[in-house]
Amino acid sequence: MSKVWFVGAGPGDPDLITVKGRDLIAKAGAILFAGSLVSIAATRWAGEACEIADSKGMTLEEITGWLIEKAAQHETVIRLQTGDPSLYGALIEMVQPLDKAGIDSGVVPGVSSAMASVAAASESLTLPEVTQTVILTRVEGRTPMPPGEDLVALARHQCTLCLFLSITLIQKIQSDLLEAGWQKEALVLVVHKASWPDEEVIVRSTIETLYDDCRAAKIKSQAMIVVSPTLGARTWSQLKKSKLYDKDFTHRFRKSVELQEKKS
Ligand code: SAH
């Protein structure tokens, strides 16, 4: 029976696709990829006979129509998506018509651009006693935000915020963060084309200088904005260490030094 796989291609670097995703691409009869972002992964790993198409100019109906048509001809059909398919990827809108058509489908997760962006800058999304929470969100543009999810409300938590699809709305981000109680000196990380060989740009900025810094770096698209009290922690002299590796902390796999000494 045919199956349509929604595969996360990762953030850009073709090596960041999962082994499972790559193996499915290698045996796929047809692949529909989402624009230039994921074309390299598709063409690099696919077999010679594989039909490869770009969905750039397609409507949702055309995309699902294509997937349904190809599923009638091939055992493995792939919809290749950027990053992870579950984030801003119209996944459910594509799965529903397949369900209606009685076509089996599955999802292979991918490395999201949020993860690739912090990796590019060697930053951590969480830090003990600083923040233990990450919010993946976007600023309201043409897509309205549901009630309670405006940036001012979310930013009041003072935790890590990863802002997708928001690079054209920097001035709103600046004013919303200040309204939510962030200091204007607070650090912000912007990564354009994270993990893309030779194209990645990392900008370290502050809330106050964010707009000017992004303009100076000519970043207008494909960027992740990370606002977090953890940024820059690599150079802090005082760091609360993770309990996991603390010598005085016992967990399932390791006894604390104190308990080990008592035993011996
Ligand atoms: N599913 C994707 C997100 C798709 S929405 C994921 O998990 O990453 C598209 C947005 O993702 C862009 O506007 C940008 O904010 C972000 N993005 C995608 N690829 C990126 C990359 N390589 N570097 C930085 N941001 C990226």
Side-chain angles (χ1 to χ4, degrees), residues 3-10 17 21 24-25 28-36 38 41-42 50-60 62-68 70 76-86 88-95 98 104-110:
K3 188 159 178 171
V4 174
W5 287 95
F6 293 86
V7 174
I17 195 164
L24 281 169
I25 288 177
I31 300 174
L32 186 61
F33 67 88
S36 62
V38 291
C50 180
E51 276 184 71
I52 303 177
D54 187 349
S55 65
K56 206 163 39 197
M58 293 183 176
T59 62
L60 182 72
E62 286 166 347
I63 289 173
T64 52
W66 194 96
L67 295 172
I68 291 168
K70 299 303 168 195
T76 303
V77 175
I78 291 182
R79 165 64 178 165
L80 198 57
Q81 315 235 137
T82 70
D84 182 83
S86 74
Y88 310 105
L91 176 65
I92 304 305
E93 290 147 73
M94 290 185 275
V95 169
L98 296 179
D104 193 17
S105 66
V107 181
V108 179

Side-chain angles (χ1 to χ4, degrees), residues 9-242:
D13 179 348
D15 285 349
L16 286 178
I17 195 164
T18 62
V19 174
K20 179 161 185 167
R22 189 186 65 186
D23 289 350
L24 281 169
I25 288 177
K27 69 172 198 181
I31 300 174
L32 186 61
F33 67 88
S36 62
L37 266 170
V38 291
S39 60
I40 314 168
T43 45
R44 185 177 287 190
W45 311 118
E48 269 187 14
C50 180
E51 276 184 71
I52 303 177
D54 187 349
S55 65
K56 206 163 39 197
M58 293 183 176
T59 62
L60 182 72
E61 290 72 26
E62 286 166 347
I63 289 173
T64 52
W66 194 96
L67 295 172
I68 291 168
E69 186 191 316
K70 299 303 168 195
Q73 302 160 13
H74 306 282
E75 204 171 306
T76 303
V77 175
I78 291 182
R79 165 64 178 165
L80 198 57
Q81 315 235 137
T82 70
D84 182 83
S86 74
L87 289 164
Y88 310 105
L91 176 65
I92 304 305
E93 290 147 73
M94 290 185 275
V95 169
Q96 278 190 351
L98 296 179
D99 285 347
K100 278 208 188 94
I103 295 167
D104 193 17
S105 66
V107 181
V108 179
V111 176
S112 173
S113 55
M115 279 67 215
S117 296
V118 287
S122 297
E123 294 284 359
S124 182
L125 290 169
T126 62
L127 214 53
E129 295 181 43
V130 177
T131 185
Q132 295 286 284
T133 305
V134 183
I135 295 178
L136 306 179
T137 188
R138 61 178 297 173
V139 177
E140 182 162 294
R142 280 188 297 175
T143 306
M145 290 299 278
E149 294 188 21
D150 57 287
L151 186 57
V152 178
L154 298 177
R156 285 212 174 94
H157 292 285
Q158 306 280 324
C159 62
T160 298
L161 301 162
C162 296
L163 303 174
F164 291 73
L165 299 158
S166 302
I167 193 68
T168 56
L169 300 161
I170 290 184
Q171 283 155 319
K172 178 167 169 47
I173 293 171
Q174 288 173 303
S175 59
D176 283 0
L177 291 172
L178 295 175
E179 192 182 331
W182 287 73
Q183 300 297 304
K184 61 185 189 329
E185 299 80 15
L187 299 178
V188 181
L189 172 72
V190 180
V191 184
H192 168 70
K193 287 201 160 184
S195 88
W196 276 76
D198 306 323
E199 290 184 70
E200 178 182 274
V201 180
I202 300 173
V203 174
R204 290 183 179 278
S205 182
T206 63
I207 293 175
E208 189 177 28
T209 58
L210 189 58
Y211 183 76
D212 295 337
D213 290 344
C214 288
R215 270 187 73 142
K218 298 194 170 64
I219 298 180
K220 295 185 193 121
S221 63
Q222 280 179 40
M224 177 61 50
I225 302 168
V226 182
V227 187
S228 175
T230 65
L231 293 175
R234 197 171 176 174
T235 60
W236 295 354
S237 52
Q238 293 290 322
L239 205 57
K240 299 274 186 195
K241 299 268 165 53
S242 166

